[in-house]
Amino acid sequence: MKTEEEAREELQGMLDVARIPAKPSYRRHEVCGILNISRSTFQVLVERFEPDMESGEPLRPDSIDSYMHQRERRVRFHELIAYLRRNNTYQRKNAMDIRQLSLW
């Protein structure tokens, strides 16, 4: 799992590439630009989010927490960092093992 510092540095690099300044929260089109995803993918990630009743962590690591502000979805800076940490772990744990290709 990435450390928070590694995820923060990765997010800062993504912000630099997208030419978006660091700020407390981001609009949908900014998140799409940062993560290089489509609007429909953003919607899916937001709709998947459901917190665990005990820990508060998302039940699905491939989801993003958001909130509404003036009829617009926004994602907090710290949630993007948490998403990058979770997403990395999810992909590593669930990626196809190259040794399994011979089974096909």
Side-chain angles (χ1 to χ4, degrees), residues 35-73:
L35 298 177
N36 195 25
I37 59 175
S38 67
R39 287 178 162 186
S40 59
T41 300
F42 174 81
Q43 193 63 35
V44 168
L45 293 175
V46 168
E47 288 175 359
R48 283 182 185 166
F49 183 81
E50 183 179 349
D52 183 13
M53 296 302 253
E54 294 177 12
S55 67
E57 293 293 317
L59 292 175
R60 294 187 60 153
D62 58 339
S63 64
I64 293 180
D65 188 14
S66 66
Y67 67 97
M68 290 294 288
H69 177 71
Q70 298 178 351
R71 300 185 329 226
E72 183 175 51
R73 284 265 162 220

Side-chain angles (χ1 to χ4, degrees), residues 14-27:
M14 295 167 90
L15 290 170
D16 292 343
V17 168
R19 295 186 175 152
I20 299 173
K23 53 188 179 178
S25 66
Y26 299 93
R27 295 181 172 126

Side-chain angles (χ1 to χ4, degrees), residues 53-101:
M53 296 302 253
E54 294 177 12
S55 67
E57 293 293 317
L59 292 175
R60 294 187 60 153
D62 58 339
S63 64
I64 293 180
D65 188 14
S66 66
Y67 67 97
M68 290 294 288
H69 177 71
Q70 298 178 351
R71 300 185 329 226
E72 183 175 51
R73 284 265 162 220
R74 295 184 70 92
V75 177
R76 291 177 177 86
F77 180 82
H78 292 292
E79 174 59 19
L80 286 175
I81 292 172
Y83 172 76
L84 291 174
R85 291 183 74 200
R86 284 192 313 266
N87 197 38
N88 179 269
T89 302
Y90 177 79
Q91 288 176 345
R92 184 171 23 87
K93 286 182 179 177
N94 297 298
M96 181 180 284
D97 187 346
I98 194 75
R99 295 171 291 181
Q100 292 177 336
L101 291 177

Side-chain angles (χ1 to χ4, degrees), residues 3-20:
T3 65
E4 184 170 342
E5 186 59 36
E6 290 171 332
R8 185 180 297 271
E9 288 175 14
E10 181 179 2
L11 178 57
Q12 188 58 54
M14 295 167 90
L15 290 170
D16 292 343
V17 168
R19 295 186 175 152
I20 299 173

